[in-house]
Amino acid sequence: MSNRLLFIVLSFFCATSITVAQTGSSHVNPEDREVDMDNPTMIPKAKVARAIVDGDSVLFMEMSNVYVYPSIELKTDKQRKAYNRLVYNVKKVLPIAKEAHDIIIETYEYLQTLPDKRARDEHMKRVEKDIYEKYKPRMKKLTFSQGKLLIKLINRECNSTSFDLVNAFMGPIRAGFWQAFAWTFGASLKKGYDPKSTDRLTERVVLMVEAGQL
Protein backbone atom coordinates (compact mmCIF):
# COMPACT_ATOMS: atom_id res chain seq x y z
CA MET A 1 0.00 0.00 0.00
CA SER A 2 1.28 3.49 -0.78
CA ASN A 3 2.32 5.70 2.14
CA ARG A 4 -0.49 8.15 1.33
CA LEU A 5 -3.27 5.62 1.71
CA LEU A 6 -1.43 3.87 4.53
CA PHE A 7 -1.66 6.85 6.84
CA ILE A 8 -5.31 7.42 6.01
CA VAL A 9 -6.10 3.79 6.89
CA LEU A 10 -4.08 4.05 10.08
CA SER A 11 -6.18 7.03 11.12
CA PHE A 12 -9.19 4.71 11.37
CA PHE A 13 -7.36 2.41 13.75
CA CYS A 14 -6.10 5.36 15.78
CA ALA A 15 -9.67 6.48 16.18
CA THR A 16 -11.05 3.11 17.14
CA SER A 17 -8.34 1.22 19.04
CA ILE A 18 -7.27 1.31 22.67
CA THR A 19 -4.78 -1.54 22.73
CA VAL A 20 -3.58 -4.33 20.52
CA ALA A 21 -4.27 -7.60 22.25
CA GLN A 22 -1.35 -9.88 22.97
CA THR A 23 -1.81 -13.10 21.04
CA GLY A 24 -0.26 -16.51 21.13
CA SER A 25 2.27 -17.74 18.64
CA SER A 26 -0.47 -19.66 16.77
CA HIS A 27 -2.39 -16.49 15.92
CA VAL A 28 -2.21 -15.35 12.30
CA ASN A 29 -3.34 -11.85 11.38
CA PRO A 30 -5.94 -11.67 8.57
CA GLU A 31 -3.55 -9.90 6.20
CA ASP A 32 -1.06 -12.79 6.56
CA ARG A 33 -3.55 -15.56 5.80
CA GLU A 34 -3.68 -17.23 2.43
CA VAL A 35 -6.95 -16.53 0.61
CA ASP A 36 -8.69 -19.71 -0.55
CA MET A 37 -10.89 -18.82 -3.52
CA ASP A 38 -12.36 -22.34 -3.61
CA ASN A 39 -13.57 -22.52 0.00
CA PRO A 40 -15.50 -20.23 2.38
CA THR A 41 -13.49 -17.70 4.37
CA MET A 42 -15.96 -17.53 7.27
CA ILE A 43 -17.76 -20.41 8.98
CA PRO A 44 -21.58 -20.21 8.84
CA LYS A 45 -23.12 -19.67 12.26
CA ALA A 46 -25.51 -22.18 13.82
CA LYS A 47 -27.16 -21.90 17.24
CA VAL A 48 -29.20 -24.67 18.84
CA ALA A 49 -31.79 -23.53 21.37
CA ARG A 50 -34.93 -24.77 23.09
CA ALA A 51 -38.43 -23.27 23.16
CA ILE A 52 -41.66 -24.21 24.91
CA VAL A 53 -44.52 -24.73 22.45
CA ASP A 54 -47.92 -25.70 23.87
CA GLY A 55 -46.21 -27.03 26.97
CA ASP A 56 -43.71 -29.14 25.04
CA SER A 57 -39.98 -28.51 24.84
CA VAL A 58 -38.95 -28.10 21.22
CA LEU A 59 -35.40 -27.85 19.91
CA PHE A 60 -34.72 -25.44 17.09
CA MET A 61 -31.70 -24.14 15.22
CA GLU A 62 -30.86 -20.62 14.15
CA MET A 63 -28.59 -20.48 11.12
CA SER A 64 -26.84 -17.81 9.12
CA ASN A 65 -28.76 -16.24 6.25
CA VAL A 66 -28.45 -17.88 2.87
CA TYR A 67 -28.35 -15.43 -0.03
CA VAL A 68 -29.61 -16.26 -3.51
CA TYR A 69 -28.78 -13.82 -6.28
CA PRO A 70 -29.22 -13.96 -10.05
CA SER A 71 -26.07 -14.88 -11.90
CA ILE A 72 -23.66 -12.07 -12.66
CA GLU A 73 -23.14 -11.49 -16.36
CA LEU A 74 -19.40 -11.27 -16.90
CA LYS A 75 -19.09 -10.84 -20.63
CA THR A 76 -15.39 -10.11 -20.93
CA ASP A 77 -12.19 -11.43 -19.46
CA LYS A 78 -11.60 -8.02 -17.93
CA GLN A 79 -14.94 -8.15 -16.11
CA ARG A 80 -14.23 -11.67 -14.81
CA LYS A 81 -10.83 -10.64 -13.52
CA ALA A 82 -12.29 -7.53 -11.84
CA TYR A 83 -14.97 -9.60 -10.09
CA ASN A 84 -12.51 -12.26 -8.95
CA ARG A 85 -10.22 -9.53 -7.65
CA LEU A 86 -13.12 -8.01 -5.69
CA VAL A 87 -13.96 -11.39 -4.13
CA TYR A 88 -10.30 -11.96 -3.28
CA ASN A 89 -9.92 -8.53 -1.68
CA VAL A 90 -13.13 -8.83 0.34
CA LYS A 91 -12.04 -12.22 1.67
CA LYS A 92 -8.68 -10.63 2.56
CA VAL A 93 -9.77 -7.46 4.36
CA LEU A 94 -13.28 -8.14 5.70
CA PRO A 95 -11.84 -9.94 8.77
CA ILE A 96 -9.72 -6.84 9.47
CA ALA A 97 -12.78 -4.59 9.26
CA LYS A 98 -14.58 -6.86 11.73
CA GLU A 99 -11.54 -6.66 13.98
CA ALA A 100 -11.87 -2.86 13.93
CA HIS A 101 -15.56 -3.18 14.85
CA ASP A 102 -14.74 -5.34 17.87
CA ILE A 103 -12.03 -2.90 18.93
CA ILE A 104 -14.33 0.12 18.78
CA ILE A 105 -16.79 -1.59 21.13
CA GLU A 106 -13.92 -2.46 23.44
CA THR A 107 -12.63 1.11 23.24
CA TYR A 108 -15.95 2.69 24.12
CA GLU A 109 -16.44 0.43 27.12
CA TYR A 110 -12.91 1.11 28.39
CA LEU A 111 -13.15 4.88 28.01
CA GLN A 112 -16.28 4.84 30.16
CA THR A 113 -14.17 3.58 33.07
CA LEU A 114 -11.82 6.60 33.00
CA PRO A 115 -12.61 9.35 35.52
CA ASP A 116 -12.70 12.46 33.32
CA LYS A 117 -12.12 13.99 29.89
CA ARG A 118 -8.47 14.74 30.64
CA ALA A 119 -7.76 11.09 31.42
CA ARG A 120 -9.56 10.00 28.25
CA ASP A 121 -7.67 12.52 26.10
CA GLU A 122 -4.31 11.51 27.55
CA HIS A 123 -5.11 7.85 26.98
CA MET A 124 -6.11 8.44 23.35
CA LYS A 125 -2.85 10.30 22.68
CA ARG A 126 -0.88 7.31 23.92
CA VAL A 127 -3.08 5.02 21.87
CA GLU A 128 -2.54 7.01 18.67
CA LYS A 129 1.22 6.63 18.96
CA ASP A 130 0.98 2.97 19.92
CA ILE A 131 -1.35 2.10 17.04
CA TYR A 132 0.98 3.62 14.45
CA GLU A 133 3.81 1.46 15.75
CA LYS A 134 1.79 -1.76 15.82
CA TYR A 135 -0.54 -1.41 12.85
CA LYS A 136 1.74 0.29 10.34
CA PRO A 137 3.68 -2.90 9.46
CA ARG A 138 0.40 -4.79 9.19
CA MET A 139 -1.27 -2.29 6.89
CA LYS A 140 1.78 -2.06 4.64
CA LYS A 141 1.12 -5.66 3.61
CA LEU A 142 -2.10 -4.63 1.87
CA THR A 143 -2.28 -3.41 -1.70
CA PHE A 144 -3.61 0.03 -2.57
CA SER A 145 -6.99 -1.37 -3.70
CA GLN A 146 -7.24 -3.50 -0.54
CA GLY A 147 -6.56 -0.42 1.57
CA LYS A 148 -9.33 1.54 -0.16
CA LEU A 149 -11.72 -1.39 0.30
CA LEU A 150 -10.77 -1.69 3.97
CA ILE A 151 -11.72 1.97 4.53
CA LYS A 152 -15.16 1.30 3.06
CA LEU A 153 -15.69 -1.91 4.99
CA ILE A 154 -14.74 -0.24 8.26
CA ASN A 155 -17.47 2.30 7.51
CA ARG A 156 -19.86 -0.59 6.91
CA GLU A 157 -18.96 -2.51 10.05
CA CYS A 158 -19.00 0.50 12.37
CA ASN A 159 -22.21 1.95 10.89
CA SER A 160 -20.70 5.41 10.92
CA THR A 161 -18.52 7.55 8.70
CA SER A 162 -14.86 7.64 9.57
CA PHE A 163 -15.07 11.36 10.27
CA ASP A 164 -17.75 10.74 12.89
CA LEU A 165 -15.65 8.00 14.51
CA VAL A 166 -12.55 10.19 14.72
CA ASN A 167 -14.64 13.09 16.01
CA ALA A 168 -16.28 10.95 18.69
CA PHE A 169 -13.07 9.44 20.03
CA MET A 170 -10.47 12.12 19.35
CA GLY A 171 -12.43 15.35 19.10
CA PRO A 172 -13.24 17.84 16.31
CA ILE A 173 -9.69 19.19 15.97
CA ARG A 174 -8.18 15.78 15.22
CA ALA A 175 -11.14 14.89 13.03
CA GLY A 176 -10.61 18.08 11.04
CA PHE A 177 -6.90 17.31 10.71
CA TRP A 178 -7.50 13.81 9.36
CA GLN A 179 -10.23 15.02 7.01
CA ALA A 180 -7.89 17.68 5.60
CA PHE A 181 -5.13 15.08 5.27
CA ALA A 182 -7.41 12.65 3.45
CA TRP A 183 -8.77 15.42 1.20
CA THR A 184 -5.21 16.27 0.14
CA PHE A 185 -4.96 12.81 -1.42
CA GLY A 186 -8.40 12.79 -3.00
CA ALA A 187 -10.22 10.95 -0.22
CA SER A 188 -12.85 11.95 2.32
CA LEU A 189 -13.51 10.58 5.79
CA LYS A 190 -17.09 11.85 5.48
CA LYS A 191 -17.92 9.57 2.56
CA GLY A 192 -19.91 6.55 3.64
CA TYR A 193 -20.49 3.05 2.34
CA ASP A 194 -23.45 2.83 -0.05
CA PRO A 195 -24.64 -0.80 -0.34
CA LYS A 196 -27.63 0.13 -2.52
CA SER A 197 -25.76 2.07 -5.18
CA THR A 198 -22.03 2.45 -5.76
CA ASP A 199 -21.11 -0.42 -3.41
CA ARG A 200 -23.95 -2.75 -4.41
CA LEU A 201 -21.73 -5.46 -5.89
CA THR A 202 -19.32 -5.22 -2.96
CA GLU A 203 -22.23 -5.65 -0.54
CA ARG A 204 -23.36 -8.75 -2.39
CA VAL A 205 -19.90 -10.29 -2.10
CA VAL A 206 -19.57 -9.27 1.56
CA LEU A 207 -22.91 -10.84 2.52
CA MET A 208 -22.01 -14.09 0.80
CA VAL A 209 -18.56 -14.18 2.41
CA GLU A 210 -20.13 -13.54 5.84
CA ALA A 211 -22.63 -16.35 5.24
CA GLY A 212 -19.89 -18.80 4.29
CA GLN A 213 -21.08 -19.00 0.68
CA LEU A 214 -17.81 -17.65 -0.77
mmCIF file of all heavy atoms in Angstrom, residues 187-204:
data_model
loop_
_atom_site.group_PDB
_atom_site.id
_atom_site.type_symbol
_atom_site.label_atom_id
_atom_site.label_comp_id
_atom_site.label_asym_id
_atom_site.label_seq_id
_atom_site.Cartn_x
_atom_site.Cartn_y
_atom_site.Cartn_z
ATOM 1 N N ALA A 187 -9.306 11.800 -0.977
ATOM 2 C CA ALA A 187 -10.224 10.949 -0.216
ATOM 3 C C ALA A 187 -11.045 11.820 0.729
ATOM 4 O O ALA A 187 -10.796 13.012 0.880
ATOM 5 C CB ALA A 187 -9.446 9.896 0.577
ATOM 6 N N SER A 188 -12.032 11.220 1.359
ATOM 7 C CA SER A 188 -12.848 11.950 2.324
ATOM 8 C C SER A 188 -13.297 10.998 3.424
ATOM 9 O O SER A 188 -13.843 9.929 3.141
ATOM 10 C CB SER A 188 -14.080 12.566 1.657
ATOM 11 O OG SER A 188 -14.943 13.143 2.634
ATOM 12 N N LEU A 189 -13.076 11.398 4.657
ATOM 13 C CA LEU A 189 -13.509 10.584 5.792
ATOM 14 C C LEU A 189 -15.015 10.699 6.008
ATOM 15 O O LEU A 189 -15.583 9.955 6.801
ATOM 16 C CB LEU A 189 -12.775 11.017 7.066
ATOM 17 C CG LEU A 189 -11.252 10.931 7.037
ATOM 18 C CD1 LEU A 189 -10.691 11.251 8.420
ATOM 19 C CD2 LEU A 189 -10.770 9.569 6.579
ATOM 20 N N LYS A 190 -15.654 11.645 5.320
ATOM 21 C CA LYS A 190 -17.094 11.846 5.477
ATOM 22 C C LYS A 190 -17.911 11.006 4.498
ATOM 23 O O LYS A 190 -19.128 10.953 4.587
ATOM 24 C CB LYS A 190 -17.436 13.323 5.297
ATOM 25 C CG LYS A 190 -16.846 14.229 6.371
ATOM 26 C CD LYS A 190 -17.257 15.672 6.171
ATOM 27 C CE LYS A 190 -16.686 16.568 7.260
ATOM 28 N NZ LYS A 190 -17.096 17.981 7.097
ATOM 29 N N LYS A 191 -17.223 10.384 3.562
ATOM 30 C CA LYS A 191 -17.919 9.574 2.559
ATOM 31 C C LYS A 191 -18.233 8.201 3.127
ATOM 32 O O LYS A 191 -17.356 7.501 3.615
ATOM 33 C CB LYS A 191 -17.060 9.438 1.301
ATOM 34 C CG LYS A 191 -17.781 8.752 0.155
ATOM 35 C CD LYS A 191 -16.923 8.747 -1.091
ATOM 36 C CE LYS A 191 -17.662 8.096 -2.256
ATOM 37 N NZ LYS A 191 -16.843 8.092 -3.490
ATOM 38 N N GLY A 192 -19.498 7.825 3.056
ATOM 39 C CA GLY A 192 -19.911 6.554 3.644
ATOM 40 C C GLY A 192 -19.951 5.419 2.646
ATOM 41 O O GLY A 192 -19.647 5.575 1.463
ATOM 42 N N TYR A 193 -20.334 4.272 3.142
ATOM 43 C CA TYR A 193 -20.486 3.050 2.343
ATOM 44 C C TYR A 193 -21.920 2.996 1.843
ATOM 45 O O TYR A 193 -22.868 3.146 2.617
ATOM 46 C CB TYR A 193 -20.162 1.859 3.241
ATOM 47 C CG TYR A 193 -20.273 0.509 2.586
ATOM 48 C CD1 TYR A 193 -19.257 0.027 1.775
ATOM 49 C CD2 TYR A 193 -21.377 -0.307 2.815
ATOM 50 C CE1 TYR A 193 -19.343 -1.230 1.195
ATOM 51 C CE2 TYR A 193 -21.471 -1.562 2.244
ATOM 52 C CZ TYR A 193 -20.448 -2.021 1.434
ATOM 53 O OH TYR A 193 -20.529 -3.266 0.868
ATOM 54 N N ASP A 194 -22.104 2.797 0.542
ATOM 55 C CA ASP A 194 -23.446 2.830 -0.051
ATOM 56 C C ASP A 194 -23.789 1.468 -0.668
ATOM 57 O O ASP A 194 -23.515 1.221 -1.837
ATOM 58 C CB ASP A 194 -23.515 3.923 -1.125
ATOM 59 C CG ASP A 194 -24.940 4.159 -1.604
ATOM 60 O OD1 ASP A 194 -25.830 3.356 -1.254
ATOM 61 O OD2 ASP A 194 -25.162 5.141 -2.337
ATOM 62 N N PRO A 195 -24.379 0.568 0.136
ATOM 63 C CA PRO A 195 -24.642 -0.800 -0.343
ATOM 64 C C PRO A 195 -25.742 -0.892 -1.397
ATOM 65 O O PRO A 195 -25.884 -1.924 -2.045
ATOM 66 C CB PRO A 195 -25.046 -1.538 0.934
ATOM 67 C CG PRO A 195 -25.639 -0.474 1.802
ATOM 68 C CD PRO A 195 -24.833 0.766 1.522
ATOM 69 N N LYS A 196 -26.525 0.172 -1.565
ATOM 70 C CA LYS A 196 -27.635 0.130 -2.519
ATOM 71 C C LYS A 196 -27.295 0.782 -3.856
ATOM 72 O O LYS A 196 -28.112 0.757 -4.775
ATOM 73 C CB LYS A 196 -28.871 0.797 -1.911
ATOM 74 C CG LYS A 196 -29.425 0.054 -0.702
ATOM 75 C CD LYS A 196 -30.686 0.712 -0.181
ATOM 76 C CE LYS A 196 -31.257 -0.060 1.015
ATOM 77 N NZ LYS A 196 -32.498 0.564 1.529
ATOM 78 N N SER A 197 -26.111 1.376 -3.944
ATOM 79 C CA SER A 197 -25.764 2.066 -5.181
ATOM 80 C C SER A 197 -24.332 1.729 -5.605
ATOM 81 O O SER A 197 -24.079 0.684 -6.186
ATOM 82 C CB SER A 197 -25.937 3.578 -5.008
ATOM 83 O OG SER A 197 -25.628 4.260 -6.200
ATOM 84 N N THR A 198 -23.396 2.616 -5.276
ATOM 85 C CA THR A 198 -22.026 2.451 -5.764
ATOM 86 C C THR A 198 -21.342 1.202 -5.216
ATOM 87 O O THR A 198 -20.445 0.654 -5.860
ATOM 88 C CB THR A 198 -21.188 3.689 -5.416
ATOM 89 O OG1 THR A 198 -21.269 3.923 -3.998
ATOM 90 C CG2 THR A 198 -21.684 4.921 -6.150
ATOM 91 N N ASP A 199 -21.756 0.748 -4.031
ATOM 92 C CA ASP A 199 -21.114 -0.418 -3.410
ATOM 93 C C ASP A 199 -22.024 -1.646 -3.434
ATOM 94 O O ASP A 199 -21.873 -2.558 -2.625
ATOM 95 C CB ASP A 199 -20.718 -0.086 -1.962
ATOM 96 C CG ASP A 199 -19.755 1.079 -1.887
ATOM 97 O OD1 ASP A 199 -18.725 1.027 -2.575
ATOM 98 O OD2 ASP A 199 -20.044 2.045 -1.166
ATOM 99 N N ARG A 200 -22.963 -1.666 -4.366
ATOM 100 C CA ARG A 200 -23.946 -2.754 -4.408
ATOM 101 C C ARG A 200 -23.300 -4.107 -4.652
ATOM 102 O O ARG A 200 -23.620 -5.094 -3.970
ATOM 103 C CB ARG A 200 -24.989 -2.463 -5.490
ATOM 104 C CG ARG A 200 -26.109 -3.496 -5.560
ATOM 105 C CD ARG A 200 -27.178 -3.050 -6.513
ATOM 106 N NE ARG A 200 -26.636 -2.797 -7.852
ATOM 107 C CZ ARG A 200 -27.354 -2.301 -8.851
ATOM 108 N NH1 ARG A 200 -28.631 -1.991 -8.663
ATOM 109 N NH2 ARG A 200 -26.783 -2.107 -10.035
ATOM 110 N N LEU A 201 -22.388 -4.181 -5.602
ATOM 111 C CA LEU A 201 -21.731 -5.461 -5.886
ATOM 112 C C LEU A 201 -20.840 -5.881 -4.725
ATOM 113 O O LEU A 201 -20.793 -7.063 -4.361
ATOM 114 C CB LEU A 201 -20.911 -5.365 -7.170
ATOM 115 C CG LEU A 201 -20.204 -6.660 -7.611
ATOM 116 C CD1 LEU A 201 -21.201 -7.797 -7.789
ATOM 117 C CD2 LEU A 201 -19.403 -6.433 -8.887
ATOM 118 N N THR A 202 -20.152 -4.912 -4.129
ATOM 119 C CA THR A 202 -19.317 -5.216 -2.965
ATOM 120 C C THR A 202 -20.167 -5.783 -1.829
ATOM 121 O O THR A 202 -19.789 -6.763 -1.182
ATOM 122 C CB THR A 202 -18.585 -3.952 -2.480
ATOM 123 O OG1 THR A 202 -17.757 -3.458 -3.535
ATOM 124 C CG2 THR A 202 -17.723 -4.245 -1.256
ATOM 125 N N GLU A 203 -21.345 -5.181 -1.606
ATOM 126 C CA GLU A 203 -22.227 -5.653 -0.537
ATOM 127 C C GLU A 203 -22.685 -7.082 -0.794
ATOM 128 O O GLU A 203 -22.760 -7.897 0.129
ATOM 129 C CB GLU A 203 -23.439 -4.731 -0.414
ATOM 130 C CG GLU A 203 -24.436 -5.115 0.655
ATOM 131 C CD GLU A 203 -23.911 -4.973 2.074
ATOM 132 O OE1 GLU A 203 -22.787 -4.454 2.265
ATOM 133 O OE2 GLU A 203 -24.624 -5.385 3.012
ATOM 134 N N ARG A 204 -22.970 -7.388 -2.033
ATOM 135 C CA ARG A 204 -23.362 -8.754 -2.387
ATOM 136 C C ARG A 204 -22.257 -9.734 -2.040
ATOM 137 O O ARG A 204 -22.515 -10.784 -1.428
ATOM 138 C CB ARG A 204 -23.690 -8.824 -3.881
ATOM 139 C CG ARG A 204 -23.827 -10.234 -4.430
ATOM 140 C CD ARG A 204 -24.288 -10.216 -5.873
ATOM 141 N NE ARG A 204 -24.196 -11.539 -6.480
ATOM 142 C CZ ARG A 204 -24.817 -11.904 -7.596
ATOM 143 N NH1 ARG A 204 -25.563 -11.023 -8.242
ATOM 144 N NH2 ARG A 204 -24.690 -13.119 -8.090
#
